[in-house]
Each structure stands twice: as structure tokens, then as C-alpha cells.
Amino acid sequence: QVQLVESGGGLVQAGGSLRLSCVLSGSMFSLYLMGWYRQAPGEQRELVAGITSGGSTNYADSVKGRFTISRDNAKNTVYLQMNNLKPEDTAVYYCNAKALRVYWGQGTQVTVSS
């Protein structure tokens, strides 16, 4: 059974940084396209960043130049380094894994105060 467990969320002031981590268990991590999504109150869930098994990345325009997604296949972990955070980055951040099926983590809250 595939499980995704996120960590690293919290409260930070505008301009600050956080690093989110997501560990996949129960399957072969290297097979999966990994991504980070976020959902703010009253908004739809949106893609923040994605990374292929080979390390190719893509980002939402709103986070380009501030966020970096990376993966460590030896640790079954995907990361999201978030720098220069803004109040509009406040949301619940979800880890996502796609192969033949799609899996979601439970989410971690990120709150950026102005």
C-alpha cells in the first residue's frame, strides 16, 4: 500500500523560507512522477511544481524563481524548497505521486504572515 507523508510546514513571515519533505513508502519511488500541489481556502487545488523520475521539473508561474522541487530516489523523498515566501503562498500543500495510479499525502499547512 502506497503512503505519502509530508512534513515541514509551519508559520513563517513574508520573505522567509521553508522546506517541505514527502516520503513515499510501499512502492518503488523512482517509478513515480512526483508533484506538490496547494489549496487555499475557497480555492481549487493547483499544481505548484512537478518532477519526473529523471529529474525534469516544471513550476507554476507564480512560484518560478522562488521554489525549487527536487528528489532523492535513494531516500524515497521529494522536497520543495520555498524561498521569499509571500502571504499568497498560504495554503495546505499536498504531495502527489503518479504512476499507474495517483496517490496523495495528507497535506501540510503553510502560513505566511505579512
Side-chain angles (χ1 to χ4, degrees):
Q1 181 177 353
V2 175
Q3 287 190 316
L4 297 171
V5 179
E6 300 112 331
S7 61
L11 173 64
V12 64
Q13 289 187 330
S17 298
L18 285 173
R19 189 176 82 153
L20 306 183
S21 301
C22 172
V23 179
L24 184 149
S25 62
S27 188
M28 189 176 293
F29 178 76
S30 60
L31 296 177
Y32 290 87
L33 169 66
M34 300 299 298
W36 287 96
Y37 288 70
R38 67 187 181 187
Q39 187 167 19
E43 301 289 334
Q44 289 190 332
R45 193 171 296 189
E46 62 173 359
L47 175 67
V48 175
I51 186 167
T52 68
S53 57
S56 297
T57 59
N58 65 290
Y59 297 92
D61 287 343
S62 60
V63 306
K64 282 181 181 177
R66 300 188 298 122
F67 291 10
T68 302
I69 189 170
S70 61
R71 67 191 293 161
D72 186 336
N73 288 342
K75 295 183 178 181
N76 291 357
T77 303
V78 62
Y79 304 97
L80 185 67
Q81 177 67 45
M82 305 185 293
N83 297 329
N84 190 22
L85 282 159
K86 303 176 180 180
E88 51 263 42
D89 295 318
T90 295
V92 178
Y93 283 70
Y94 295 92
C95 179
N96 173 277
K98 295 179 184 176
L100 294 179
R101 295 182 62 181
V102 177
Y103 300 93
W104 292 93
Q106 80 285 357
T108 185
Q109 177 70 46
V110 171
T111 303
V112 185
S113 63
S114 57

